[in-house]
Amino acid sequence: MTELGPVAWPPALIRTERLVLRESEARDRAAFIELFASPEVHAYLGGPRPRDEVERAVPEVPGRRPGSFVIDLDGAMIGQITLTRDTGHLRQAAGKAELGYLFLPQAWGCGYAAEACAAALDWFAGALPGEPVVLATQTANVGSVRLAAKLGFIEVERFEAYGAEQWFGEWSSVTPSDWARARQRGSATRQQCKDGAQRCWNS
């Protein structure tokens, strides 16, 4: 796995209370197209690509690469998490493992992103102990900044890039007490979403 280092890929299925993190399959193609063509998903990512362009570009089995997890809820893809070695799109992240995530709008507001990202970071901490992970997002994306803090990312700096102010943070597994607190905060929405799962998909 050249992107992250000497770890086996794909890992065994990662199961959380409500979700499964797994490799992509051909049945996920329609959900990937929705992710990449969604104006809501790409509001802080430079805007969506034209749907016809996305449909032509997405392969039969999309997202099949090391560090790319499909987030599965009850057998259906609701999002994607990536952990990849940054290739230099931002000077601050160059050469470091970077966390990225995209979730379908129907899955927003139920704590799925926190639950899935926490599990992905837990896997990363076991695969590459002590190595930090970085995350960059627009400061205008308040939900993403809030999620980063919930996961235990510490703000390193803010800077201008791509025509907007960016928030840049770093996470490390070497402080387990902070990690435990992040996991506890991430579980706060679980009972609420158990009672309102239908609302999560219909809102």
Side-chain angles (χ1 to χ4, degrees):
M1 185 178 180
T2 57
E3 288 86 349
L4 292 179
V7 299
W9 188 267
L13 295 179
I14 299 173
R15 299 182 184 275
T16 70
E17 184 175 332
R18 300 175 295 174
L19 306 170
V20 175
L21 281 67
R22 58 172 174 81
E23 257 202 319
S24 66
E25 301 173 1
R27 61 190 172 101
D28 302 316
R29 186 174 185 274
F32 270 102
I33 291 172
E34 291 299 322
L35 271 181
F36 298 152
S38 168
E40 294 90 349
V41 172
H42 290 268
Y44 299 102
L45 296 171
R49 295 165 62 187
R51 188 180 185 88
D52 59 345
E53 177 184 315
V54 172
E55 290 179 345
R56 290 194 301 270
V58 171
E60 182 178 347
V61 184
R64 179 65 71 92
R65 63 182 184 276
S68 176
F69 293 96
V70 160
I71 312 307
D72 185 305
L73 173 68
D74 297 331
M77 175 180 167
I78 62 168
Q80 179 192 29
I81 288 175
T82 58
L83 280 160
T84 55
R85 190 74 59 187
D86 184 80
T87 56
H89 74 103
L90 291 173
R91 172 185 55 80
Q92 292 82 353
K96 299 178 180 178
E98 183 175 15
L99 175 69
Y101 44 84
L102 298 173
F103 284 80
L104 292 168
Q106 302 96 309
W108 295 359
C110 283
Y112 296 138
E115 186 174 334
C117 287
L121 289 169
D122 199 13
W123 168 82
F124 182 88
L128 294 169
E131 182 168 341
V133 178
V134 298
L135 181 152
T137 186
Q138 286 190 24
T139 55
N141 190 349
V142 176
S144 188
V145 174
R146 187 183 300 119
L147 173 61
K150 180 182 291 187
L151 292 169
F153 282 84
I154 304 301
E155 181 176 339
V156 175
E157 65 175 301
R158 299 188 183 203
F159 57 91
E160 291 289 328
Y162 305 112
E165 185 182 61
Q166 307 291 324
W167 185 97
F168 183 78
E170 185 171 292
W171 173 92
S172 173
S173 62
V174 297
T175 53
S177 59
D178 290 345
W179 173 248
R181 285 196 294 271
R183 290 294 293 272
Q184 184 177 13
R185 289 197 299 269
S187 68
T189 61
R190 290 174 186 169
Q191 185 58 49
Q192 176 184 355
C193 286
K194 282 182 180 178
D195 298 333
Q198 192 64 39
R199 175 189 57 76
C200 293
W201 284 99
N202 294 335
S203 59

